[in-house]
C-alpha cells in the first residue's frame, strides 16, 4: 500500500504523526496462556498483562488439570488473594470436593507437583491452604447449599467410602433422593478404617460427612449387597445405582507360614486400631510392603511401642507410598530394608510366627507396572525375628453378589463415565479403578453422579475435553521469588507417646495470606496493548511480541508509519498479514517459510529468521562458543582492510548490573526532557532534534521510558536483559572511512554467527550512548572495559546468551523502495 509521502527537514521535529495509531495486538484466546513472555520481550513495554473478562472452562491451570477431583484451585485461590471471604473460597472448593478438610490432610496433592510456581521457586502449598479453608468450614458450621429443585428419581449408592459419599453428595445437590447402603456400621470407608487418626482425626471425617446427612441423604448400615439384598433387587427399586464398594480384601503373600495367628494384614491391623480394639503387636514388628497401608501400619505400630522394620522388594524410588509419609516414618524410627522379600514364615510349636525368612533382591527388566522387576539373589537368605508380621502388599475387590459387573481382572469394569455393562448401574472408586487416592475416588464419585444425571435425563454426558495451562519451559525469572509457607509438625517424641495425636499442623491466618499471594493465577491474564506514558498506543513495531509467543497466540497487525515531515519513510506496507514475510524466491506471494527453508542457504535462513532476544536463560555461554562468535567478527570486511575494532567480552554479572544502572540514570535525563512541557523544554528538544536527530526520534525515547517503567518485575529494566554475556565493539579512533558502517558490518557478522550457533543476541545501543556521551559513566567503566586511545569510542554493544524461548522466526516487514538502474 503506497502512502502519500511528504518529506521535510524541518516539519515535525519531534512527536511525528504516526499513522494507523492506536496500535494494537490480536490475541487468540484459545491459545494464549497468559505467560507474559511477550511483555518481557517488548522493548517499549507497551504490552502488559490484564485480567481476562472471561475464562475458558476447557483450558485449566496445571493444578486443576492434575486434580483428580477437578477442583478449581485457581478460582478459590483468587478469592483468597483478592480479599474475598473464606466462605466463598470454601463454596468454590465444595462444588467438586465435599471433603476439603479431609483431602487437605491426606491427599498426595498432585496439584502441587504440577504447580507452575515450581518452575520459579517452590510449588504453592495448596494442600495446607485447602486444609485451612476446610477447617474453617467446620469451625464456622458452613453447610452445603440446598438443591434448586427436587427430583423424583431415586438413586442408590453402594458403599459409604469417599467415592460413594461424593456421588451421594453431588446427586443430592442436583435434587435426587439418595440412599447409601453400607456393609459396615458407619460411613467413611477407608477414611475411617484405614487412614490412622494421627493423619486424619475422626472428628474431621464425622463433621464433613454430617453435611451430607443434613442434605437428606439416607444411610442404611450393616447392609451388604449380595448378602442382605441382591443387586438385581436394588436395580428394580432405584432408577440408578452407583457401586463404590472399595477394595477391602488384602492380597496374600502365598508363602509358607503366613496363616499364623500373629500374621495380620495391614488393613485388619489399622481397622482394629480405628475401632478402638486393644492391639498389642509386641516388641518386634515386621511389615511387608511399600505402599501407604504398609507405611501407615508401621507408624501406628511405632506408636504402640514396637520396634518396626519394613521390608520392600524394590528400592525407595519405586515405593508407591507418598514420599513425605516415608520420610516421617524414618523420623519416627521405622527402619526399611530395601531390595528384600519374604520367602517363608518360621513358626514355633504353638503355630505362632517367630521370624520371617527373607531373600535379597536385585532389579531386573521393567515389568507390566512400569517398574523394574525384582529378581531374587540366590544364596542371600536371612531371617528377621518378630512378634508380629503385618502384610500390606496390595488390595483386591470383594465382588460377591456382583459378578455380573466384573471384568477379567476381577474388578468392576466401567467406561470413562463410570457406566458398567448393565444399564443404569454405574461404578467408581477403588472397586473400579483399583486402589488409588482419596481425591481420585471423590472425583470418580462426582463423575458417576454426572453420568447418572445424564442417564436419568435422557441426555448424553458431555465430553470432558480439557487442556493444561503449563508454564514448563516458560521463563519466569522476571517474577519475584517468595518463600513457601509450611505448617509445623508435631515433635517426634510427642507423636510416639500419643497414638492419635495429629502430626501435621495447619497454617496460621497470616501465613495463609502470604502463601495465597504466591499464586500466579495461571491463565487469568492476557496481554493487551496498553501503550506507554506520554507516547500513547504506539511502539517501534518490531513484531517480536508475535515471534516470541510460545503458543503463536499473538499477532501484531501494526507498522510504524510516518509519511509526512522530518521522520517520514518512503515505504510500502503489507496490506494483509503474511504479505510482508520473506519471499527470496520471488513467488507470486510469500509462502510459509518452512515450505521454502530447504531451498535457502544457511546464511539466508539466519538472516530471515533472526530476531532480537530479550529473554535469556541464566546459563553461561561457554568461552569456546563466544570465541567462535568473535572469530566471525574478525573476518568481517572493513574499509581499507583496516580492521579498526577491538572486542571486549563481559560475563561479570555485577559489572553488567552496575553499567545498566548508570545507563538508565543517564538516559532518564533525555526522556524527562523529551516529555517535558513548557517553551524552554520544547525549544531545547527541537534544537537537539536538529543536532542529534537519530537519538531524539520518539522510538528510542519510548524505549528509554520502558527501561524506567517496565510492565513486569520490580524496579527498572536491565539494559542487558539479564543476558549472561555482552560483547562491546570499540572503534579505533583512526578507523578508515565510515567507522559506523564498519562497526555495523562486523557486529552483524557476529550476530548472525551467534544465531546460527543457537545463541540469541540483541543490540543495546543505549549502553554505547552512555559510555560515549556521559563523562561520568565513561570515567567509571573505561578502565574495566579497556576503553582507551586509540580504542576510545564504543561502536556498538550486543547481548549474548541462550534464548529462554524459541524466538528466531520470520515476521512481516515493510517494503523499502527499490530503484533499478539497468
Amino acid at each position: 500500500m503506497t502512502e502519500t509521502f511528504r518529506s521535510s527537514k524541518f516539519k515535525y521535529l519531534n512527536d511525528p504523526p504516526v499513522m494507523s495509531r492506536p496500535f494494537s495486538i490480536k490475541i487468540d484466546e484459545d491459545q494464549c496462556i497468559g505467560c507474559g513472555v511477550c511483555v518481557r520481550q517488548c522493548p517499549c513495554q507497551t504490552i502488559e498483562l490484564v485480567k481476562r473478562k472471561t475464562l475458558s472452562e476447557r483450558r485449566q491451570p496445571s493444578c486443576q488439570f492434575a486434580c483428580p477431583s477437578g477442583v478449581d484451585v485457581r478460582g478459590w485461590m483468587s478469592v483468597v488473594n483478592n480479599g474475598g471471604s473464606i466462605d466463598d473460597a470454601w463454596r468454590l472448593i465444595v462444588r467438586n470436593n465435599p471433603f476439603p478438610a479431609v483431602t487437605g490432610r491426606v491427599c498426595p496433592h498432585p496439584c502441587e507437583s504440577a504447580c507452575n510456581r515450581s518452575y520459579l521457586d517452590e510449588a504453592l502449598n495448596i494442600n495446607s491452604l485447602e486444609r485451612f479453608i476446610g477447617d474453617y468450614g467446620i469451625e464456622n458450621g458452613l453447610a452445603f447449599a440446598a438443591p434448586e429443585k427436587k427430583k423424583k428419581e431415586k438413586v442408590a449408592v453402594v458403599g459409604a467410602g469417599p467415592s460413594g459419599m461424593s456421588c451421594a453428595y453431588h446427586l443430592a445437590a442436583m435434587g435426587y433422593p439418595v440412599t447409601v447402603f453400607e456393609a459396615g456400621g458407619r460411613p467413611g470407608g477407608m477414611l475411617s478404617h484405614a487412614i490412622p487418626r494421627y493423619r486424619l482425626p475422626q472428628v474431621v471425617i464425622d463433621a464433613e460427612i454430617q453435611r451430607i446427612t443434613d442434605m437428606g441423604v439416607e444411610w442404611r448400615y450393616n447392609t451388604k449387597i449380595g448378602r442382605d439384598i441382591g443387586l438385581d433387587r436394588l436395580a428394580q427399586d432405584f432408577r440408578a445405582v452407583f457401586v463404590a464398594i472399595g477394595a477391602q480384601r488384602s492380597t496374600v503373600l502365598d508363602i509358607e507360614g503366613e496363616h499364623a495367628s500373629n500374621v495380620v494384614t495391614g488393613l485388619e491391623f489399622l481397622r482394629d486400631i480405628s475401632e478402638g480394639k486393644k492391639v498389642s503387636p509386641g516388641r518386634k514388628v515386621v511389615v511387608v510392603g511399600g505402599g501407604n497401608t504398609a507405611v501407615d501400619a508401621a507408624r501406628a505400630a511405632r506408636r504402640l511401642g514396637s520396634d518396626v522394620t519394613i521390608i520392600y522388594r524394590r528400592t525407595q524410588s519405586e515405593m508407591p507410598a507418598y514420599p513425605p509419609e516415608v520420610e516421617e516414618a524414618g523420623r519416627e524410627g521405622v527402619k526399611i530394608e530395601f531390595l528384600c522379600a519374604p520367602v517363608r514364615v518360621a513358626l514355633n510349636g504353638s503355630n505362632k510366627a517367630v521370624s520371617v525368612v527373607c531373600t535379597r533382591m536385585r532389579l531386573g527388566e521393567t515389568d507390566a507396572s512400569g517398574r523394574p522387576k525384582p529378581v531374587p539373589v540366590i544364596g542371600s537368605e536371612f531371617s528377621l525375628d518378630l512378634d508380629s508380621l503385618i502384610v500390606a502388599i496390595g488390595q483386591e475387590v470383594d465382588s460377591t453378589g456382583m459378578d455380573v459387573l466384573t471384568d477379567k481382572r476381577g474388578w468392576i469394569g466401567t467406561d470413562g463415565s463410570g457406566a458398567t455393562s448393565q444399564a443404569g448401574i454405574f461404578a467408581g472408586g477403588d472397586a473400579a479403578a483399583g486402589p488409588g487416592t482419596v481425591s481420585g475416588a471423590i472425583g470418580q464419585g462426582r463423575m458417576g453422579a454426572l453420568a447418572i444425571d445424564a442417564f436419568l435425563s435422557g441426555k448424553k454426558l458431555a465430553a470432558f475435553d480439557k487442556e493444561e495451562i503449563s508454564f514448563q519451559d516458560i521463563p519466569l525469572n522476571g517474577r519475584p521469588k517468595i518463600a513457601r509457607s509450611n505448617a509445623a509438625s508435631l515433635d517426634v517424641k510427642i507423636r510416639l507417646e500419643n497414638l492419635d495425636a495429629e502430626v501435621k499442623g495447619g497454617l496460621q491466618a497470616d501465613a495463609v495470606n502470604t502463601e495465597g499471594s504466591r499464586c500466579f493465577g495461571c491463565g487469568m491474564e492476557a496481554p493487551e496493548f496498553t501503550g506507554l506514558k506520554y507516547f500513547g498506543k504506539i511502539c517501534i513495531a518490531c513484531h517480536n511480541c508475535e515471534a516470541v509467543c510460545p503458543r503463536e497466540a499473538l499477532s501484531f497487525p501494526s507498522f510504524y508509519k510516518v509519511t509526512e515531515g522530518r521522520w517520514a519513510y518512503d515505504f510500502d506496507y503489507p496490506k494483509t498479514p503474511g504479505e510482508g514475510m520473506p519471499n527470496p524466491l520471488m513467488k507470486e506471494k510469500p509462502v510459509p517459510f518452512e515450505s521454502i527453508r530447504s531451498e535457502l542457504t544457511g546464511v539466508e535462513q539466519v538472516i530471515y529468521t533472526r530476531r532480537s532476544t530479550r529473554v535469556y536463560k541464566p546459563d553461561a555461554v561457554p568461552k569456546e562458543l563466544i570465541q567462535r562468535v568473535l572469530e566471525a567478527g574478525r573476518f568481517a570486511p572493513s574499509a581499507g582492510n583496516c580492521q579498526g575494532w577491538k572486542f571486549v567480552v563481559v560475563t561479570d554479572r555485577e559489572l553488567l548490573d552496575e553499567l545498566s544502572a548508570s545507563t538508565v540514570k543517564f538516559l532518564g535525563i533525555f526522556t524527562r526532557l523529551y516529555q517535558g512541557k513548557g517553551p524552554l523544554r520544547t525549544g531545547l528538544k527541537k534544537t537537539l532534534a536538529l543536532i542529534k536527530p537519530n537519538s531524539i526520534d520518539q522510538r528510542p525515547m519510548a524505549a528509554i521510558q520502558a527501561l524506567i517503567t517496565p510492565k513486569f518485575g520490580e524496579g527498572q529494566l536491565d539494559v542487558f536483559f539479564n543476558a549472561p554475556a555482552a560483547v562491546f565493539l570499540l572503534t579505533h579512533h583512526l578507523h578508515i572511512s565510515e567507522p559506523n558502517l564498519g562497526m555495523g558490518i562486523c557486529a552483524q557478522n557476529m550476530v548472525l554467527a551467534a544465531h546460527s550457533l543457537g545463541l540469541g543476541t540483541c543490540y543495546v545501543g543505549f549502553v554505547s550512548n552512555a559510555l560515549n556521551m556521559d563523562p561520568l559513566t565513561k570515567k567509571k567503566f573505561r578502565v574495566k572495559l579497556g576503553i582507551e586511545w586509540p580504542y576510545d569510542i564504543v561502536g556498538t554493544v550486543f547481548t549474548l546468551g541462550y534464548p529462554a524461548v524459541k524466538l528466531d522466526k520470520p515476521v512481516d516487514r515493510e517494503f523499502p523502495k527499490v530503484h533499478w538502474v539497468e
Side-chain angles (χ1 to χ4, degrees):
M1 180 174 64
T2 303
E3 305 285 352
T4 303
F5 176 72
R6 301 186 184 89
S7 181
S8 168
K9 290 183 179 181
F10 303 105
K11 190 172 184 181
Y12 301 118
L13 293 181
N14 50 268
D15 297 326
V18 180
M19 300 183 65
S20 73
R21 65 188 305 171
F23 287 5
S24 64
I25 54 176
K26 293 181 179 179
I27 302 297
D28 183 340
E29 292 289 346
D30 286 335
Q31 288 297 320
C32 175
I33 59 175
C35 65
V37 174
C38 54
V39 179
R40 295 186 57 197
Q41 177 69 15
C42 178
C44 290
Q45 290 295 281
T46 49
I47 301 174
E48 65 180 311
L49 292 177
V50 299
K51 292 291 183 183
R52 293 181 193 259
K53 295 178 181 178
T54 57
L55 297 176
S56 168
E57 292 185 8
R58 182 180 67 84
R59 294 176 57 254
Q60 300 177 349
S62 294
C63 51
Q64 182 179 0
F65 186 84
C67 176
S69 301
V71 172
D72 182 7
V73 178
R74 178 184 64 185
W76 63 258
M77 198 69 70
S78 177
V79 171
V80 173
N81 275 346
N82 295 311
S85 70
I86 302 298
D87 297 53
D88 291 339
W90 180 85
R91 296 195 187 285
L92 266 177
I93 294 174
V94 300
R95 284 182 185 178
N96 290 59
N97 172 18
F99 305 110
V102 168
T103 53
R105 287 170 165 82
V106 301
C107 181
H109 42 78
C111 53
E112 291 187 25
S113 300
C115 177
N116 285 323
R117 176 106 205 171
S118 63
Y119 300 122
L120 175 66
D121 41 38
E122 290 184 272
L124 196 63
N125 194 344
I126 300 170
N127 206 218
S128 292
L129 290 169
E130 183 182 43
R131 170 180 167 164
F132 177 90
I133 294 169
D135 287 350
Y136 173 92
I138 293 173
E139 293 162 5
N140 291 273
L142 299 186
F144 297 141
E148 295 179 1
K149 185 179 179 180
K150 294 285 188 179
K151 297 178 180 178
K152 296 180 180 179
E153 299 91 343
K154 296 190 299 179
V155 181
V157 173
V158 182
S163 189
M165 292 189 294
S166 171
C167 184
Y169 158 72
H170 287 288
L171 287 168
M174 296 175 194
Y176 291 101
V178 182
T179 302
V180 180
F181 295 85
E182 166 58 37
R186 61 175 176 172
M190 289 293 187
L191 299 181
S192 296
H193 301 311
I195 301 177
R197 299 290 74 85
Y198 64 80
R199 288 181 59 202
L200 179 60
Q202 187 65 43
V203 65
V204 173
I205 304 171
D206 294 342
E208 300 215 292
I209 292 175
Q210 185 60 45
R211 294 197 194 100
I212 299 176
T213 303
D214 294 342
M215 296 178 78
V217 171
E218 182 184 349
W219 308 93
R220 294 192 187 175
Y221 302 121
N222 301 309
T223 305
K224 182 175 175 61
I225 306 305
R227 182 191 66 191
D228 302 305
I229 184 172
L231 181 63
D232 53 349
R233 177 62 184 274
L234 212 61
Q236 292 174 13
D237 294 347
F238 294 87
R239 290 290 307 279
V241 179
F242 183 75
V243 179
I245 56 176
Q248 303 275 358
R249 179 187 290 168
S250 296
T251 304
V252 298
L253 286 170
D254 196 22
I255 61 173
E256 177 188 335
E258 73 172 303
H259 299 298
S261 59
N262 57 336
V263 177
V264 296
T265 68
L267 290 179
E268 179 186 355
F269 179 73
L270 292 170
R271 183 181 290 111
D272 286 348
I273 293 174
S274 72
E275 291 177 354
K277 295 180 181 179
K278 182 175 176 58
V279 179
S280 302
R283 190 170 63 87
K284 290 185 177 182
V285 172
V286 174
V287 180
V288 184
N292 292 309
T293 301
V295 174
D296 284 344
R299 295 178 68 189
R302 281 291 294 135
R303 284 157 173 75
L304 295 172
S306 302
D307 180 45
V308 183
T309 300
I310 293 175
I311 56 176
Y312 177 58
R313 59 184 184 157
R314 293 184 173 93
T315 69
Q316 184 167 354
S317 61
E318 286 86 37
M319 281 186 83
Y322 307 153
E325 300 301 319
V326 177
E327 291 173 14
E328 292 299 331
R331 291 191 184 99
E332 293 167 5
V334 173
K335 298 181 286 294
I336 304 179
E337 286 277 357
F338 293 107
L339 292 171
C340 175
V343 176
R344 63 184 178 275
V345 178
L347 308 178
N348 63 12
S350 303
N351 199 37
K352 193 173 182 181
V354 293
S355 67
V356 58
V357 179
C358 304
T359 183
R360 296 293 179 188
M361 311 293 282
R362 62 177 178 82
L363 296 182
E365 299 297 322
T366 302
D367 62 16
S369 72
R371 296 174 295 173
K373 182 179 180 179
V375 179
V377 176
I378 298 174
S380 64
E381 291 186 0
F382 66 99
S383 295
L384 291 173
D385 294 338
L386 55 83
D387 295 298
S388 291
L389 179 66
I390 300 174
V391 180
I393 61 170
Q395 295 158 230
E396 301 169 356
V397 62
D398 180 3
S399 58
T400 304
M402 299 188 186
D403 295 340
V404 68
L405 302 179
T406 57
D407 57 20
K408 294 178 180 178
R409 306 169 302 154
W411 301 84
I412 298 177
T414 63
D415 65 9
S417 69
T420 69
S421 59
Q422 304 299 304
I425 301 181
F426 300 78
D430 290 356
T437 65
V438 172
S439 53
I442 291 169
Q444 290 169 45
R446 175 174 175 267
M447 175 64 75
L450 294 172
I452 288 171
D453 178 55
F455 170 75
L456 295 177
S457 304
K459 300 176 182 176
K460 186 177 180 181
L461 183 64
F464 285 82
D465 178 30
K466 60 181 185 178
E467 180 187 355
E468 181 182 7
I469 298 174
S470 173
F471 285 177
Q472 186 174 9
D473 299 324
I474 300 294
L476 300 172
N477 49 326
R479 300 176 187 249
K481 292 187 177 183
I482 305 173
R484 173 181 163 119
S485 300
N486 291 308
S489 293
L490 200 62
D491 182 76
V492 171
K493 186 175 184 296
I494 298 174
R495 301 181 200 180
L496 298 182
E497 292 173 350
N498 189 331
L499 179 64
D500 294 337
E502 189 171 10
V503 170
K504 189 175 180 181
L507 290 177
Q508 300 300 312
D510 57 343
V512 169
N513 294 329
T514 301
E515 190 61 20
S517 69
R518 298 178 70 237
C519 180
F520 287 160
C522 305
M524 297 186 80
E525 297 177 318
E528 184 176 296
F529 198 99
T530 55
L532 200 60
K533 173 188 172 184
Y534 180 84
F535 301 96
K537 290 191 175 183
I538 61 168
C539 64
I540 65 174
C542 64
H543 291 245
N544 274 6
C545 55
E546 184 175 355
V548 79
C549 179
R551 306 267 302 182
E552 297 185 346
L554 183 152
S555 60
F556 183 84
S558 305
F559 291 90
Y560 191 90
K561 295 194 290 187
V562 178
T563 60
E564 187 175 0
R566 182 180 183 84
W567 309 101
Y569 280 79
D570 190 12
F571 284 161
D572 287 335
Y573 295 90
K575 297 177 182 178
T576 58
E579 186 182 343
M581 285 289 185
N583 191 11
L585 304 182
M586 296 296 112
K587 294 182 179 290
E588 184 178 346
K589 62 179 181 180
V591 296
F593 189 76
E594 291 306 314
S595 68
I596 62 170
R597 181 187 285 272
S598 62
E599 300 180 58
L600 305 180
T601 66
V603 174
E604 287 177 298
Q605 292 177 33
V606 175
I607 288 173
Y608 296 130
T609 60
R610 183 262 170 194
R611 304 263 70 77
S612 293
T613 301
R614 298 185 182 89
V615 190
Y616 291 94
K617 292 180 180 179
D619 310 44
V621 180
K623 191 172 184 180
E624 298 76 16
L625 213 54
I626 297 176
Q627 287 174 328
R628 286 183 67 174
V629 172
L630 300 180
E631 192 73 352
R634 186 167 74 91
F635 281 84
S638 60
N641 196 33
C642 70
Q643 302 285 304
W645 45 66
K646 173 183 176 180
F647 306 143
V648 177
V649 180
V650 180
T651 58
D652 182 337
R653 183 74 259 164
E654 186 176 335
L655 177 59
L656 291 174
D657 289 343
E658 289 180 14
L659 183 51
S660 174
S662 294
T663 299
V664 174
K665 182 178 180 181
F666 172 68
L667 295 175
I669 299 170
F670 290 89
T671 195
R672 286 192 295 272
L673 169 64
Y674 192 93
Q675 297 175 33
K677 296 180 180 179
L680 287 177
R681 284 196 176 185
T682 301
L684 180 57
K685 182 164 62 172
K686 290 183 175 181
T687 302
L688 286 172
L690 287 170
I691 299 171
K692 192 85 172 165
N694 5 21
S695 296
I696 307 299
D697 187 318
Q698 70 173 350
R699 285 169 289 186
M701 289 296 110
I704 294 171
Q705 179 63 45
L707 293 172
I708 300 169
T709 56
K711 301 284 179 62
F712 71 93
E714 297 177 342
Q716 299 174 333
L717 280 186
D718 174 21
V719 297
F720 298 103
F721 312 111
N722 295 304
V727 179
F728 295 69
L729 275 69
L730 307 186
T731 308
H732 193 290
H733 202 85
L734 303 178
H735 187 292
I736 298 173
S737 189
E738 299 290 340
N740 289 339
L741 176 61
M743 288 297 105
I745 294 171
C746 179
Q748 189 68 353
N749 256 32
M750 289 195 280
V751 161
L752 295 179
H755 283 254
S756 71
L757 293 168
L759 298 171
T761 63
C762 183
Y763 288 108
V764 283
F766 290 147
V767 178
S768 52
N769 291 152
L771 288 169
N772 290 331
M773 297 169 61
D774 180 20
L776 295 178
T777 300
K778 190 167 187 175
K779 180 179 180 182
K780 183 176 181 180
F781 297 100
R782 60 183 298 274
V783 174
K784 290 182 179 179
L785 295 176
I787 303 174
E788 56 186 355
W789 199 93
Y791 297 100
D792 56 354
I793 302 169
V794 182
T796 190
V797 182
F798 63 86
T799 55
L800 190 66
Y802 293 103
V805 289
K806 183 181 179 181
L807 177 62
D808 282 358
K809 60 183 74 170
V811 298
D812 279 311
R813 278 284 179 252
E814 305 87 344
F815 298 97
K817 296 295 183 182
V818 179
H819 181 67
W820 291 88
V821 179
E822 297 182 290

